[in-house]
Amino acid sequence: MLLLGPIGFTAPWLLLALMALPVLWLVLRAVPPAPFRRRFPGVALLLGLTDDKAETDRTPWWLLLLRMLAVAAAIIAFAGPVLNPQDRQPGTGPLLILLDGGWADARDWPRRIDRASALVEDAGRAGRTVAVLRLTDAPQAPVFQAANAWTGRVGALDPQPWAPADLGQWAAVLPQDGFDSFWLSDGLDHPGRAALLAALEARGTVTVFESPRPVVTLRPAVFEEGVVKVRALRAVPAAEAEFEVSALGPDPSGAERELARVAVVFKAGETEAVTDLSLPPELRNRLTRFEIVGLRSAGAVSLTDDSLKRRKVALIAGGGTREGLQLLSPTHYLEQALEPVADLIDGTLEDVLLASPDVIVLADVGRLSVSESDGLLDWLEKGGLLLRFAGPRLAASDVSRDAEDPLMPVRLREGGRSVGGAMSWGEPKALAPFPENSPFHGLAVPADVTVRSQVLAQPDPDLAGRTIAALADGTPLVTRKPVGQGQVVLVHVTANAEWSTLPLSGLFVQMLERLAVSTRPAIPQAGDLAGQIWVPAAVLDAYGTVAQAGDVAGVAGEVLAQGIATGPRDGLPPGLFAGADRRVALNVIGPETVLAPAVWPGRIPVEGLTADREQALKGAFLAGALALLLVDILASLWLTGRLRAAGATGAVLALCLLAISPPAQAQQTGAEDDALALQATTAVVLAHVLTGDAQVDALAEAGLRGLSQKLAERTSIEPEAPIGVDLDRDELAFFPFLYWPVTATQPLPSAKAYAALNRYLRTGGMILFDTRDADVAGFGGTTPEGRRLQELAAQLDVPPLEPIPADHVLTRTFYLLQDFPGRHAGRSIWVEASAPDAEQVEGMPFRNLNDGVTPVVIGGNDWASAWAVDDAGAPLYPVGRGFAGERQREIAYRFGVNLIMHVLTGNYKSDQVHVPALLERLGQ
């Protein structure tokens, strides 16, 4: 390749043709221009005369120069000009390209792929074979192939959400033949890097490409001294730097939002930064993850688990503390075990129920009043955990004797069992190993834990299924039963050391953790996780994006504990793992992870990723030659007098400018916007969101066309033809109503579109989200459309929602409705939640809800299919069967009419003036 400054030529011998330009100049100079044509009647007198002496004129020099430049541009174009030509590496042997391919590469993965693609292209030009290795994969011998075999495969590579393992294993599988290597390093010193580098150098030259961008990560957040400690880590000590960390979690409506933001500052020369984040318990318990703002990497994301969540626990004892005998207090050991890891609540039972605790512990409480029992039952139905401990009071009472008490898991025998008692043991009993169906399974039972006394359970048929811990002789020690969404657990010994040594052992704290009474703020150890299969609830990809676990298999507790200690790996991705009683986060960066920067020997050339790419200039020179030839044509026409008319000259110039200038997109867009505004504001227009799926968009348009026809037939509303709305381009304020069919593959709106959508919702617009999945799994369920709806609505300012109540205004704005079917039957739709103080007045058929229009309606009944009609007004899709199906279609139309009337009139039908007519229609 011939290099002339920043430009090179792939076929420089063609430039020799430039030497012929002077000869061409002389030839063209000698050729006269075309003669002028003059119409003169007297020229007829000259016919037949001959001129012995002919004179020629010369072509103007500027026209010759124009033609020379056109020919030179064409010659240079075919010589293959290239901007920023790369210096080719010598040699024709095989080329091995290595990518670390871990989470640290994700921050600039596109640039790494561009660099690797350029290397493959260069090898293809040189006729070299290529092999590409991603070091996060299992070690296997590289296979060298022709460069064109890797052209598409390199672009399809993705980073993995874990770091390379022992790189020394790769050295053992390398072929013995010679080859050159290019290593795209992530900048970290992974185990075995030196061994792999030595093996590569033994086979040929090695060049390293490394990004200058710093590697910044987050350690798992911990709760200490009443605040959340947020720790950031960087690989290379450098100048002072500041990063923002965002704390994310669901809001009360379930949508994920930023709950807090805090700045972490690395001081000059330090690699770790710590900052405190103070949050109220309600917000702290909602945290799901922390992430460094602006960094796309799994290392910049730290998932949170139960270690940050402090449950509210109420401790209630059956008797007062004995003066001077603190160790004999019924709640002393409970307080010592729970105070570091839970928020303890004091007060009477009725008082603590008002605080909605997560757990209520009754230590030797016998009889409860009717109001206390009713309050506890209501609390249990909503998901509370009632933990009861036995004691002298409970043993002496008649609670749960003849009939099982609702607040007890089993029936009890009178009295109790103790060493030396009526039903005596010869000696204190030890604990039996915990069965597999027990939440305590996997916990080691210390040999010094013994039981001297206990309350006995009646041998009922359900006793074996409710026993989750027993003594060595099979006597139940801990029993449990579900009550509604909650559960009742009874420990058949006291919460202090009077009846057993259990409260004195570490097993006592572990059992409380397994029962979800408390959470351990420290990182779990192998013993804490053993004995269970942990199912992934969510996983992280290399870019730090949280996704559903899908088909990722569960792992044993011992494997998960090893992953927490050493980091994720192939088959054990980072994510949130759920057990029977708690959730554990496996993050890329653990509490003891050390980021060591890669230090390369001086003999290894290290380049950056920002190398200039070659750019072919052939097209640009050919376009220039064509433009010069067009100018030459115009000049020749002008010289011959054929462009004498000003109008003809202007027309030709306009055509040339039109040919070489880009279309006036802005003017066209402005005209389209004006047309859209005129169409949408001169009449009522129903609109649907364009999803990118042509079939779904056509169905939505047909559905709104059918609904518009019914509105014109039955109401005073006469809508125009429906319009498809592009969220990124069109103004939404023109439309009172948007129908949004949700597909599993539609792209997320841009930031600009989300801003427009939130502005639309806040200013009175309504969006009907239709997942079209028959709501088979309930709102926010597990269908692909339901999951996509959650992702679409994550950044929308959606108010709290509730299933539509029976007295909602949508049930009576035009028709009286009880169901809201589409192509699928069902009443389950979600609307904005009613005000907490909305009460129904006696004698009224509904509450006073005259407070505006619900901004969103969510369902999955596929209303567009039920509304859709063809150009002749006939239904496009069948609904149900026979008369019942047509009746369902009619109710679907009525729901659509009610919906549009609600949008246009608000909660007008909630006014009391309509009460007499509604009561008459309702038959009251």
Side-chain angles (χ1 to χ4, degrees), residues 69-91:
L69 291 176
V71 175
I75 294 174
I76 294 174
F78 288 107
V82 177
L83 182 64
N84 298 321
Q86 301 299 313
D87 185 16
R88 309 299 179 197
Q89 292 292 332

Side-chain angles (χ1 to χ4, degrees), residues 429-431 445-451 477 500-507:
K429 294 295 181 181
L431 274 62
V445 179
D448 58 347
V449 174
T450 57
V451 175
L477 177 65
S500 72
T501 59
L502 178 62
L504 302 176
S505 69
L507 179 63

Side-chain angles (χ1 to χ4, degrees), residues 350-361:
E350 294 181 346
D351 292 337
V352 299
L353 284 173
L354 298 176
S356 299
D358 300 297
V359 183
I360 296 179
V361 180

Side-chain angles (χ1 to χ4, degrees), residues 149-406:
W150 286 99
T151 301
R153 293 159 61 186
V154 171
L157 292 175
D158 284 320
Q160 300 286 10
W162 52 81
D166 186 4
L167 298 181
Q169 299 178 4
W170 284 97
V173 299
L174 293 177
Q176 297 301 319
D177 298 334
F179 54 84
D180 296 332
S181 303
F182 289 85
W183 191 339
L184 281 81
S185 170
D186 58 13
L188 299 180
D189 188 11
H190 301 292
R193 182 182 60 87
L196 178 57
L197 178 61
L200 294 174
E201 286 189 287
R203 290 162 175 82
T205 61
V206 179
T207 304
V208 173
F209 296 86
E210 190 171 283
S211 173
R213 297 176 60 189
V215 179
V216 183
T217 63
L218 282 179
R219 291 195 188 277
V222 296
F223 185 78
E224 295 178 356
E225 300 176 355
V227 295
V228 178
K229 300 285 188 179
V230 180
R231 291 181 169 87
L233 191 67
R234 63 181 177 180
V236 180
E240 180 175 322
E242 179 177 334
F243 295 87
E244 288 189 329
V245 177
S246 177
L248 302 174
D251 63 9
S253 65
E256 186 178 70
R257 299 190 185 279
E258 183 180 78
L259 302 181
R261 180 174 289 202
V262 64
V264 292
V265 180
F266 289 96
K267 296 182 180 179
E270 294 186 358
T271 59
E272 187 169 358
V274 182
T275 188
D276 295 341
L277 177 60
S278 179
L279 290 174
E282 290 77 9
L283 286 181
R284 186 179 66 245
N285 289 341
R286 288 190 205 155
L287 292 176
T288 57
R289 72 180 186 274
F290 293 89
E291 61 181 32
I292 300 177
V293 178
L295 291 185
R296 295 187 64 221
S297 167
V301 176
S302 176
L303 299 175
T304 64
D305 52 21
D306 291 344
S307 61
L308 283 186
K309 296 175 174 58
R310 291 170 60 90
R311 292 178 173 84
K312 292 189 292 185
V313 180
L315 299 180
I316 299 176
T321 303
R322 303 180 192 178
E323 183 177 357
L325 298 177
Q326 184 179 7
L327 295 180
L328 298 181
S329 168
T331 60
H332 171 72
Y333 294 98
L334 288 170
E335 292 172 354
Q336 296 299 312
L338 297 176
E339 188 172 11
V341 294
D343 295 328
L344 301 182
I345 303 175
D346 295 326
T348 64
L349 183 57
E350 294 181 346
D351 292 337
V352 299
L353 284 173
L354 298 176
S356 299
D358 300 297
V359 183
I360 296 179
V361 180
L362 301 182
D364 194 18
V365 175
R367 179 68 61 183
L368 297 171
S369 66
V370 175
S371 62
E372 291 175 335
S373 297
D374 293 342
L376 277 175
L377 286 173
D378 292 339
W379 172 77
L380 282 170
E381 292 285 345
K382 299 176 182 177
L385 169 62
L386 177 61
L387 176 60
R388 306 192 67 164
F389 284 86
R393 289 173 176 269
L394 185 61
S397 69
D398 59 352
V399 174
S400 197
R401 292 294 192 265
D402 298 330
E404 182 180 303
D405 189 280

Side-chain angles (χ1 to χ4, degrees), residues 770-778 781 783-787 824 859-862:
D770 189 356
T771 58
R772 306 176 301 112
D773 57 358
D775 200 25
V776 295
T783 65
E785 291 80 8
R787 293 195 297 269
H824 307 297
N861 292 337
D862 195 6

Side-chain angles (χ1 to χ4, degrees), residues 691-701 877:
T691 63
D693 188 322
Q695 183 177 359
V696 174
D697 294 339
L699 173 61
E701 182 180 1
Y877 296 95

Side-chain angles (χ1 to χ4, degrees), residues 66 112 125 211 278 284 331 336 380 384 438 474 492 532 536 587 627-628 630 650 726 760 772 842 874 880 892:
L66 193 67
R112 295 178 184 275
R125 294 191 188 100
S211 173
S278 179
R284 186 179 66 245
T331 60
Q336 296 299 312
L380 282 170
S438 170
H492 291 240
Q532 297 187 67
N587 288 297
L628 291 173
L630 288 175
D726 187 337
Y760 176 77
R772 306 176 301 112
E842 184 177 356

